[in-house]
């Protein structure tokens, strides 16, 4: 089952949040702290203090959806050294995060721009 249909953006809130918050509380964080529109269709990713749970909030044109994942024996590799309160993730980085990889250490090939073949 595919839960997210090509979101326009994926935003990660770097600081842990109180996981008693649900849709309304998380949407307030998106609007006031992240200064983004919670109705954009983007994924907004939050983590708890222990980093073993994540919640993802998104708007799907008919209402808010809240996706939740709890790890049983491990922790998410949450980025710490990147500056700023909000981090924009690529879809590739999002999958790396879910798979347990450290997105700060993972980098792909750099795109190249050529104008002619020599």
């Amino acid at each position: 089952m595919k839960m997210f249909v090509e979101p326009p953006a994926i935003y990660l809130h770097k600081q842990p949040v109180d996981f008693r918050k649900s849709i309304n509380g998380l949407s307030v964080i998106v609007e006031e702290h992240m200064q983004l529109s919670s109705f954009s269709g983007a994924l907004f990713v939050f983590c708890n203090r222990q980093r073993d749970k994540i919640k993802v909030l998104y708007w799907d044109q008919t209402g808010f959806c809240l996706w939740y994942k709890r790890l049983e024996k491990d922790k998410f590799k949450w980025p710490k050294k990147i500056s700023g309160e909000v981090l924009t993730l690529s879809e590739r980085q999002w999958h790396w995060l879910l798979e347990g990889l450290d997105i700060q250490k993972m980098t792909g090939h750099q795109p190249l721009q050529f104008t002619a073949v020599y």
Side-chain angles (χ1 to χ4, degrees):
M1 178 170 111
K2 195 168 190 169
M3 290 177 285
F4 312 120
V5 181
E6 296 185 35
I10 304 168
Y11 299 107
L12 184 138
H13 186 267
K14 284 184 39 185
Q15 297 302 315
V17 298
D18 180 353
F19 259 42
R20 294 175 289 184
K21 291 187 186 303
S22 192
I23 290 171
N24 291 344
L26 294 174
S27 62
V28 167
I29 292 174
V30 170
E31 298 281 339
E32 293 181 3
H33 295 215
M34 299 171 80
Q35 300 196 355
L36 297 165
S37 172
S38 54
F39 296 102
S40 67
L43 303 183
F44 300 98
V45 183
F46 303 91
C47 188
N48 67 335
R49 191 169 306 283
Q50 294 81 20
R51 297 193 173 21
D52 63 346
K53 299 176 186 87
I54 60 171
K55 284 186 178 181
V56 180
L57 176 72
Y58 63 100
W59 174 258
D60 78 350
Q61 303 302 319
T62 61
F64 281 106
C65 300
L66 187 62
W67 188 81
Y68 180 78
K69 181 169 182 170
R70 179 183 76 190
L71 295 177
E72 297 301 323
K73 292 189 175 189
D74 211 344
K75 295 184 184 292
F76 289 101
K77 307 291 189 270
W78 212 249
K80 297 176 187 171
K81 296 178 183 172
I82 299 173
S83 64
E85 185 75 17
V86 179
L87 179 63
T88 303
L89 300 180
S90 67
E91 199 164 336
R92 175 188 274 181
Q93 289 173 316
W94 168 236
H95 290 289
W96 287 342
L97 182 71
L98 288 176
E99 292 173 13
L101 301 172
D102 188 339
I103 62 173
Q104 289 179 266
K105 295 179 181 174
M106 302 290 292
T107 57
H109 295 288
Q110 296 298 319
L112 303 175
Q113 300 290 326
F114 292 106
T115 56
V117 177
Y118 298 103

